Amino acid sequence: MLMTKSTGNAYDVALENFDTAADAMGLDKDTREMIKYPERILMVTVPVRMDDGQIHRFEGYRVQHSQVRGPAKGGIRFHPQVTLDEVKALATWMTWKCAVVNIPFGGAKGGITCDPKHMSKGELERMTRRYTSAILPLIGPEQDIPAPDVYTNSQTMAWIMDTYSMTKGYPIPGVVTGKPISLAVRWAAMRPPAAACSTPSSAPANI
């Protein structure tokens, strides 16, 4: 049984998890160096005009651990205790989870340090859209696909999709998973028959 001894932060634990597993597998040093650390780390400032008229600055993150197996995939969380090290750890673990079940994605994660329980819907929308604009260079259906996580939901994903799509000039539902099912159904109804027929029957309606 693989055991870890770290009592540090989440990223320390993730690195120790990796070393323990790599030792058990007899993984060579060059391979370890190639897959152990994140490929990209983006830290952004997210200024938002709050309902009281004042500007509040939030810290946001998007980490892509690996795109070796395919587009990066991972949730976005809104929580007061979100840190860069936590996001790095979660992106790392997402890579291993995708690899273990053999699906063609790499690992990513994102988050904003905020307290959504004390924010209005309007404040959350403005923050989400501003954060999406800040991470636009990293995300996309063939690059990095966000999903819901702690204190984010289908509405959050709809805001992200809408903000991303506005920069392209047409709807791009594949930029996120976890969208409202009704949104996916409306988009499917607008597709040409040939395109609709090419969709695998096993594809979920709320991707």
Side-chain angles (χ1 to χ4, degrees), residues 32-110:
R32 295 186 192 212
E33 288 298 308
M34 287 293 294
I35 66 175
K36 183 175 182 178
Y37 302 102
E39 293 176 353
R40 295 177 184 84
I41 298 173
L42 180 62
M43 302 173 60
V44 298
T45 295
V46 186
V48 177
R49 188 171 297 281
M50 309 302 282
D51 291 343
D52 62 6
Q54 298 186 14
I55 297 291
H56 185 83
R57 186 176 67 89
F58 299 94
E59 296 294 330
Y61 312 95
R62 187 67 181 176
V63 174
Q64 295 173 346
H65 178 265
S66 175
Q67 292 177 308
V68 171
R69 294 173 53 84
K73 185 79 181 72
I76 292 173
R77 58 178 50 193
F78 295 167
H79 195 275
Q81 297 179 356
V82 167
T83 66
L84 177 58
D85 277 347
E86 178 191 56
V87 175
K88 287 163 61 179
L90 293 167
T92 301
W93 287 321
M94 191 66 182
T95 295
W96 313 142
K97 288 191 289 184
C98 291
V100 165
V101 298
N102 196 28
I103 58 175
F105 292 108
K109 207 71 176 184

Side-chain angles (χ1 to χ4, degrees), residues 75-180:
I76 292 173
R77 58 178 50 193
F78 295 167
H79 195 275
Q81 297 179 356
V82 167
T83 66
L84 177 58
D85 277 347
E86 178 191 56
V87 175
K88 287 163 61 179
L90 293 167
T92 301
W93 287 321
M94 191 66 182
T95 295
W96 313 142
K97 288 191 289 184
C98 291
V100 165
V101 298
N102 196 28
I103 58 175
F105 292 108
K109 207 71 176 184
I112 302 177
T113 308
C114 66
D115 189 352
K117 291 184 177 180
H118 294 92
M119 297 175 66
S120 70
K121 184 176 180 180
E123 290 171 337
L124 288 170
E125 178 177 359
R126 293 191 292 274
M127 182 182 71
T128 300
R129 290 182 180 277
R130 187 63 182 252
Y131 169 74
T132 303
S133 296
I135 67 170
L136 276 176
L138 294 191
I139 63 174
E142 298 180 355
Q143 295 174 267
D144 183 353
I145 306 165
D149 201 273
V150 176
Y151 291 121
T152 56
N153 54 29
S154 61
Q155 176 62 78
T156 313
M157 296 303 107
W159 290 329
I160 293 174
M161 175 194 157
D162 185 56
T163 304
Y164 182 86
S165 298
M166 285 191 295
T167 70
K168 304 298 182 180
Y170 53 91
I172 305 184
V175 70
V176 293
T177 57
K179 300 177 297 297

Side-chain angles (χ1 to χ4, degrees), residues 5-18:
K5 300 178 181 178
S6 177
T7 57
N9 64 27
Y11 190 53
D12 292 334
V13 174
L15 293 180
E16 188 173 339
N17 289 159
F18 175 84

